[in-house]
Amino acid sequence: MIPALVPLPGSPWSVLPPGEHLASLPDVAAAFATNNRRRELFDGLVLASRKLRLSGCPTVYLDGSYVTGKPTPGDFDACWDPTGVDPAMLDPVFLQFANGRAAQKAAFRGEFFPSSMMCADVGQAFVDFFQLDRFTGKQKGIISIPLSADPLLSGKVQP
C-alpha cells in the first residue's frame, strides 16, 4: 500500500514518508498515473519493468518527482536490484548512462540505475541516495516494486 504524501518543509512538493514502501504496478498506477503525462510515464515504467523482470531482476525502486505531488513530472527516476540478473538477458539500454541517460529516457521516459551503483555526487548507493529529498537533503520515501509476482506483469490485471 502506498501511503499518503506528506509535506516536507523546504521542498516544493509533498513526498512519500521516509522508508521503502512496497507496492505493485497497479498500486503505482492508482496513486500516480493520474493525468495524461503521468500515464505516459507509467507506460514507460511498465515497459522497463517487463524487460527487467525477463532478465531476472527481482525489484525496481521508484523515485523522482513522479512519486511526489508535482502535477506534471518530466520523467521518473528508478533503480533496479541486480541480484540474480542475467547479463545476457539484460537490455543494454539499462547500462547506458551517457548524455544524461538519453537512451533510457527515449526508451522508457525515465532513468534507471543499478540499485547498488554508487552515486558519485554523494558517495551512496542509488537506493539510498533516492531516499534523500533533493531540495532539503532530508529523508523521504521511495516505492519498492517486486517484479516476480506483480499482477500487471503476470497478466492478472490490465493497466
Side-chain angles (χ1 to χ4, degrees), residues 1-2 20-28 45-46 48-50 52-54 56-62 79-81 83 142-157:
M1 174 122 183
I2 298 174
E20 293 179 15
H21 304 286
L22 193 64
S24 67
L25 286 167
D27 294 336
V28 171
L45 174 65
V46 170
S49 296
R50 283 189 205 295
L52 285 166
R53 181 180 181 209
L54 288 173
C57 176
T59 307
V60 167
Y61 300 94
L62 182 60
C79 60
W80 49 276
D81 184 348
T83 306
I142 58 174
I143 303 290
S144 173
I145 306 167
L147 300 181
S148 63
D150 192 88
L152 182 58
L153 299 179
S154 62
K156 294 179 182 170
V157 300

Side-chain angles (χ1 to χ4, degrees), residues 16-155:
L16 290 164
E20 293 179 15
H21 304 286
L22 193 64
S24 67
L25 286 167
D27 294 336
V28 171
F32 298 109
T34 55
N35 61 35
N36 286 339
R37 177 62 180 158
R38 286 176 162 278
R39 282 188 287 282
E40 289 173 0
L41 295 173
F42 179 75
D43 291 345
L45 174 65
V46 170
L47 175 61
S49 296
R50 283 189 205 295
K51 288 178 175 274
L52 285 166
R53 181 180 181 209
L54 288 173
S55 74
C57 176
T59 307
V60 167
Y61 300 94
L62 182 60
D63 184 43
S65 61
Y66 189 76
V67 295
T68 72
K70 185 175 183 178
T72 309
D75 67 0
F76 60 85
D77 300 313
C79 60
W80 49 276
D81 184 348
T83 306
V85 170
D86 179 349
M89 297 294 293
L90 183 66
D91 186 326
V93 76
F94 289 107
L95 300 175
Q96 295 176 9
F97 306 109
N99 299 319
R101 279 94 34 219
Q104 293 180 12
K105 290 177 184 178
F108 308 122
R109 301 180 186 95
E111 303 177 49
F112 288 85
F113 301 90
S115 61
S116 57
M117 183 177 176
M118 296 301 282
C119 177
D121 295 343
V122 295
Q124 289 182 303
F126 273 94
V127 71
D128 298 319
F129 170 65
F130 281 174
Q131 294 181 63
L132 299 174
D133 179 68
R134 75 179 209 172
F135 299 101
T136 67
K138 296 177 185 172
Q139 291 287 313
K140 65 171 187 60
I142 58 174
I143 303 290
S144 173
I145 306 167
L147 300 181
S148 63
D150 192 88
L152 182 58
L153 299 179
S154 62

